[in-house]
Amino acid sequence: MSREWTKNLRNIEPYVPGEQSKDRDIVKINANENPYPPSPKAVEVLKNFDTNNLRFYPNANSTRLKEAIAKYYKVDVSNVFVGNGSDDVLAVAFQSFFNSDKPIVYPDLTYSFYPVWCSLFGIEYKNYPVGDDFRINPEDYKEQNGGVVIPNPNAPTSLGEGLDFVEKILNYNQDSVVIIDEAYVDFGGTSSIPLINKYENLLVTGTFSKSRSLAGLRIGFAIGSKALIDVMEAVKNSYNSYTVDSLSIEMGAASIEDDEYFKSTCQKVIKTRERVTLELKKLGFDVLDSQTNFIFATHNEHNMKSLFEYLKTQKVFIRYFSLPRIENYVRITIGTNEEMDIFLEKTKEFILNDNR
Amino acid sequence: MSREWTKNLRNIEPYVPGEQSKDRDIVKINANENPYPPSPKAVEVLKNFDTNNLRFYPNANSTRLKEAIAKYYKVDVSNVFVGNGSDDVLAVAFQSFFNSDKPIVYPDLTYSFYPVWCSLFGIEYKNYPVGDDFRINPEDYKEQNGGVVIPNPNAPTSLGEGLDFVEKILNYNQDSVVIIDEAYVDFGGTSSIPLINKYENLLVTGTFSKSRSLAGLRIGFAIGSKALIDVMEAVKNSYNSYTVDSLSIEMGAASIEDDEYFKSTCQKVIKTRERVTLELKKLGFDVLDSQTNFIFATHNEHNMKSLFEYLKTQKVFIRYFSLPRIENYVRITIGTNEEMDIFLEKTKEFILNDNR
């Protein structure tokens, strides 16, 4: 048969997702997942769920979840968008707002999905390199553009900025939509959500996958002016009206209402992060000042790719990026204290035996 | 502040999802949902789910679910794609395959989301009107095009066609990708899945929302040649690597493995459909020969919009489309026998009291 039909197939470079393993023996500190289980209140919702209701479509507006998020962040329900993980939320935002003939702008070192969405949706983009200290310079973001995306805190650098920084970006960019991606903000960062009433062109995105231990459920959200949220709703409802399933709506709402558990697990992660940072520094590592649930570190006398590979043989999975400027860095997710003790022990072993 | 930033917002007509209600008193036969609960095997998976695992991202390849679907349909895992409901699956397929300068083609009376996706992705389309008997004429589909979408059985007409019909369409369209949308096939239709080995340009889509009573979970799938599935995977992984959550993967797999329960509930729906069809005919309705979990009916002497409105006052929700050619038709989902008795009783009341 003819192969003529193949000529209109989309030609796209497949994104390769990170390593996964079914082996629960491994210390899996490579995907910025939370080491603690989800809120017991969310688990209770799952166990008591009336499964007969699964035969119905989910509430198309995810009302219960949106209301819980709105209440938590002290905004109106009309300021809240929810989606199937923050990747879905960001992808909808890119489609909704970035339709200019000017390129959108974001830092060179950041979340690897931004250029992937640009390629999928045909959006031009331009990167501003972060400084030698890996910090984003707000003065770079003064040029006319088709939109701005700033991850705060940034990944994989782990560095966060304050509201003065975000307001600078907003003041330089009153003619574009500015997205602040706050996937990691709950581990010590500063949220820009209070600024949405002052800046109608500001969209803040978040996720339940890190600080709320619900990566497996796929819940992301965005908070912004009604003008922005309405466009996102229209785009979402033109793609799939039911992106958030019935269980995620109910469990997500129960999770955000359990603030005590949330705060205690975030604090545990932060405390472990500070301890591991100190221990790594004692071993001679340079560790960036993290406001996230991971640390970004390097060592002057040792090869980080070798460390990554050695740890893998020891069933400790961390993350290494073979990218310019960060080719001698590793990204280490904060696990439980027990997991981090294994990581530190194996890292010491590597340092002692490494003849670079 | 300036409103300059609003000029690059996506301008899109929001799709308005169908009516939903929290009131469980109503007879809700307006959304083609299944009246029976999901498989007890799927429910068991939910109740026994190790919720600690929700802190991990789902398996990015949904392997457990794909393997169960592949086994059920006797195809290779590389022939299976899964997504967040069949709306997500179809949207990915439209993006993957319809990149021609020629319009794609589909019937005028069909699923209302096809033109919505075309608008979202900038795809030109052309409709071929179904016949006066609401049947699709395969001879219409001979012209060169950028792709073909045929729902089989079709909605809202409820009419299905056999493999001879599908092979005609395929033979006329060897230079395009042909999508057969089988959302309703399990209620008496004929599946084209066995043809995928013969036609590399054929993609068949399905859903767990109707016959498997899992609309609330969002599970859709597609089956086709590895050439087609690979492109869909690349597009999906450029949008969101984790569209199917961990619970849906496990519950979906358990559901498709429970064939006995599946067959018995489908048979119950079919039996009720046949009974309701007879009863409606006794009341003077014209009822199309349904191969789905709904019936499409009209009455020469009564106004169907009035029937729809009257039933609503009686807490019986059916579906009415204010569209040319079908403005005197109603679409009635098959509920339980008890629900359909209420529907029939209220419909009789309407007929008796209606002075058209």
Side-chain angles (χ1 to χ4, degrees):
Chain A
M1 98 183 248
S2 131
R3 299 281 300 180
E4 186 70 13
W5 59 273
T6 60
K7 80 173 189 301
N8 294 316
L9 302 186
R10 188 76 170 244
N11 185 4
I12 203 160
E13 194 60 43
Y15 171 87
V16 181
E19 232 160 349
Q20 295 187 310
S21 169
K22 277 193 166 178
D23 187 348
R24 291 301 183 216
D25 259 6
I26 61 161
V27 175
K28 188 175 181 304
I29 48 175
N30 66 343
N32 294 347
E33 289 152 333
N34 199 308
Y36 302 107
S39 154
K41 299 272 169 64
V43 170
E44 208 180 306
V45 165
L46 177 81
K47 296 299 175 189
N48 296 328
F49 196 83
D50 180 358
T51 51
N52 180 36
N53 284 338
L54 289 176
R55 67 193 180 84
F56 297 115
Y57 281 89
N59 173 270
N61 199 35
S62 304
T63 307
R64 163 95 175 95
L65 178 58
K66 278 188 185 172
E67 282 175 355
I69 293 173
K71 193 174 169 197
Y72 186 81
Y73 289 110
K74 300 184 176 60
V75 297
D76 192 76
V77 177
S78 63
N79 299 125
V80 181
F81 178 87
V82 294
N84 181 38
S86 68
D87 283 351
D88 178 39
V89 171
L90 283 161
V92 170
F94 273 52
Q95 287 173 281
S96 299
F97 309 135
F98 299 156
N99 302 290
S100 165
D101 49 7
K102 299 189 199 80
I104 70 160
V105 294
Y106 55 84
D108 63 336
L109 283 184
T110 189
Y111 188 34
S112 57
F113 246 94
Y114 300 160
V116 176
W117 291 317
C118 287
S119 154
L120 183 65
F121 305 130
I123 301 165
E124 296 289 319
Y125 67 90
K126 185 176 168 178
N127 294 139
Y128 294 118
V130 296
D132 287 338
D133 57 358
F134 291 151
R135 296 233 167 237
I136 299 166
N137 181 1
E139 306 305 321
D140 290 339
Y141 293 78
K142 281 179 165 173
E143 265 183 288
Q144 285 251 321
N145 57 57
V148 182
V149 190
I150 303 282
N152 186 33
N154 196 7
T157 66
S158 80
L159 299 172
E161 304 294 341
L163 289 190
D164 49 337
F165 167 96
V166 174
E167 286 212 68
K168 259 190 195 167
I169 298 274
L170 283 161
N171 285 322
Y172 297 152
N173 292 281
Q174 302 208 16
D175 294 345
S176 305
V177 173
V178 175
I179 297 178
I180 306 290
D181 175 352
E182 297 190 348
Y184 296 102
V185 78
D186 295 325
F187 302 101
T190 306
S191 176
S192 297
I193 292 174
L195 299 178
I196 66 145
N197 294 315
K198 193 168 166 192
Y199 300 92
E200 227 184 329
N201 61 328
L202 165 64
L203 188 86
V204 179
T205 61
T207 174
F208 282 43
S209 298
K210 322 285 183 189
S211 55
R212 298 193 179 277
S213 308
L214 288 172
L217 267 198
R218 321 304 304 123
I219 306 173
F221 63 92
I223 294 182
S225 62
K226 187 173 180 303
L228 293 184
I229 300 298
D230 283 352
V231 180
M232 290 181 74
E233 288 291 337
V235 168
K236 172 250 186 187
N237 281 322
S238 297
Y239 186 92
N240 182 355
S241 315
Y242 309 100
T243 45
V244 185
D245 70 54
S246 303
L247 281 162
S248 301
I249 290 171
E250 298 294 328
M251 290 176 71
S255 164
I256 204 160
E257 284 164 1
D258 190 1
D259 202 36
E260 197 180 332
Y261 181 83
F262 168 72
K263 288 216 172 88
S264 85
T265 49
C266 287
Q267 278 309 314
K268 280 203 274 189
V269 170
I270 291 169
K271 211 173 152 186
T272 306
R273 179 186 73 205
E274 298 310 304
R275 180 176 74 86
V276 174
T277 301
L278 274 178
E279 294 289 334
L280 285 176
K281 284 181 176 172
K282 279 187 210 162
L283 293 173
F285 281 85
D286 280 328
V287 183
L288 273 72
D289 187 20
S290 172
Q291 294 189 352
T292 64
N293 69 336
F294 59 88
I295 51 192
F296 199 54
T298 186
H299 200 297
N300 282 334
E301 293 155 31
H302 297 279
N303 184 294
M304 292 297 100
K305 193 177 178 202
S306 307
L307 170 64
F308 162 75
E309 281 162 356
Y310 174 75
L311 290 177
K312 205 165 164 181
T313 66
Q314 302 298 303
K315 289 195 168 189
V316 176
F317 284 26
I318 63 171
R319 193 81 189 261
Y320 172 77
F321 301 93
S322 184
L323 290 173
R325 304 186 72 187
I326 58 170
E327 69 284 332
N328 203 40
Y329 279 80
V330 282
R331 192 194 73 183
I332 305 137
T333 303
I334 302 301
T336 59
N337 276 315
E338 295 68 31
E339 288 173 319
M340 299 321 283
D341 285 342
I342 299 171
F343 159 75
L344 287 167
E345 186 196 312
K346 301 291 180 189
T347 300
K348 268 178 218 168
E349 265 174 36
F350 169 79
I351 298 281
L352 289 173
N353 299 317
D354 186 38
N355 309 304
R356 198 190 183 181
Chain B
M1 95 183 250
S2 130
R3 300 281 299 177
E4 186 71 12
W5 59 272
T6 60
K7 79 172 190 301
N8 294 316
L9 301 187
R10 188 77 171 242
N11 186 5
I12 203 160
E13 195 60 43
Y15 171 87
V16 182
E19 233 159 349
Q20 295 188 311
S21 168
K22 277 195 166 176
D23 187 350
R24 291 300 183 218
D25 259 6
I26 61 162
V27 175
K28 188 175 182 303
I29 48 175
N30 67 343
N32 294 346
E33 289 152 333
N34 199 308
Y36 302 107
S39 153
K41 299 273 170 64
V43 170
E44 208 180 306
V45 165
L46 177 81
K47 297 298 175 190
N48 296 328
F49 196 83
D50 180 358
T51 52
N52 181 36
N53 284 338
L54 289 176
R55 67 191 181 85
F56 297 114
Y57 282 89
N59 173 270
N61 199 35
S62 303
T63 307
R64 163 94 176 95
L65 178 58
K66 279 189 183 172
E67 282 175 355
I69 292 173
K71 195 176 169 194
Y72 186 80
Y73 289 111
K74 300 183 175 62
V75 297
D76 192 76
V77 177
S78 63
N79 298 125
V80 181
F81 178 87
V82 295
N84 181 36
S86 67
D87 283 352
D88 177 39
V89 172
L90 283 161
V92 170
F94 274 52
Q95 288 172 280
S96 300
F97 308 135
F98 299 157
N99 302 291
S100 165
D101 50 5
K102 300 190 198 82
I104 70 160
V105 294
Y106 55 84
D108 63 336
L109 285 183
T110 189
Y111 187 34
S112 57
F113 245 96
Y114 300 160
V116 176
W117 291 318
C118 286
S119 155
L120 182 66
F121 305 129
I123 300 165
E124 297 289 319
Y125 67 91
K126 185 176 168 178
N127 294 139
Y128 295 117
V130 296
D132 288 339
D133 57 357
F134 291 150
R135 294 233 168 239
I136 300 166
N137 181 1
E139 307 305 320
D140 290 339
Y141 292 78
K142 282 178 166 174
E143 264 182 290
Q144 285 252 319
N145 57 56
V148 182
V149 190
I150 303 282
N152 186 33
N154 196 6
T157 66
S158 80
L159 300 171
E161 305 293 341
L163 290 191
D164 49 338
F165 166 97
V166 174
E167 287 212 70
K168 259 191 196 165
I169 298 275
L170 284 161
N171 286 322
Y172 297 153
N173 291 280
Q174 302 208 17
D175 293 345
S176 305
V177 173
V178 175
I179 297 179
I180 307 290
D181 176 353
E182 298 190 348
Y184 297 103
V185 77
D186 295 324
F187 302 102
T190 306
S191 176
S192 298
I193 292 174
L195 299 178
I196 66 145
N197 294 317
K198 194 167 164 193
Y199 301 92
E200 225 184 331
N201 60 329
L202 165 65
L203 188 87
V204 179
T205 61
T207 174
F208 282 42
S209 298
K210 323 286 182 189
S211 55
R212 297 192 180 276
S213 308
L214 288 172
L217 267 198
R218 322 303 306 119
I219 306 172
F221 63 92
I223 294 181
S225 62
K226 188 174 180 300
L228 294 183
I229 299 298
D230 283 352
V231 181
M232 291 181 74
E233 289 291 339
V235 168
K236 173 250 185 188
N237 281 323
S238 297
Y239 186 94
N240 182 355
S241 315
Y242 309 100
T243 45
V244 185
D245 69 55
S246 303
L247 282 163
S248 301
I249 290 171
E250 298 294 328
M251 291 176 70
S255 164
I256 204 160
E257 283 164 3
D258 190 1
D259 202 36
E260 198 180 332
Y261 181 83
F262 168 73
K263 288 218 172 86
S264 84
T265 49
C266 288
Q267 278 309 313
K268 281 204 274 189
V269 169
I270 292 170
K271 211 172 152 186
T272 306
R273 179 186 74 206
E274 299 310 304
R275 180 175 73 85
V276 174
T277 300
L278 274 177
E279 294 288 335
L280 284 176
K281 284 181 175 171
K282 280 188 210 160
L283 293 173
F285 280 84
D286 281 328
V287 183
L288 273 71
D289 187 20
S290 172
Q291 293 190 352
T292 65
N293 68 337
F294 60 87
I295 52 192
F296 199 53
T298 186
H299 200 298
N300 281 335
E301 292 156 31
H302 297 278
N303 184 293
M304 292 296 99
K305 193 177 177 199
S306 307
L307 170 64
F308 162 74
E309 280 161 356
Y310 174 76
L311 289 178
K312 205 165 164 178
T313 67
Q314 302 299 303
K315 289 194 168 189
V316 176
F317 284 26
I318 62 170
R319 192 83 189 259
Y320 172 77
F321 302 93
S322 184
L323 289 173
R325 305 186 73 187
I326 58 169
E327 68 283 335
N328 203 40
Y329 279 79
V330 282
R331 191 195 73 182
I332 304 137
T333 303
I334 301 301
T336 60
N337 277 314
E338 295 69 30
E339 288 174 319
M340 299 321 283
D341 285 342
I342 298 171
F343 159 74
L344 287 167
E345 185 196 312
K346 301 292 180 188
T347 300
K348 269 179 216 165
E349 265 174 35
F350 169 80
I351 297 280
L352 288 172
N353 299 315
D354 186 37
N355 308 304
R356 197 191 182 179

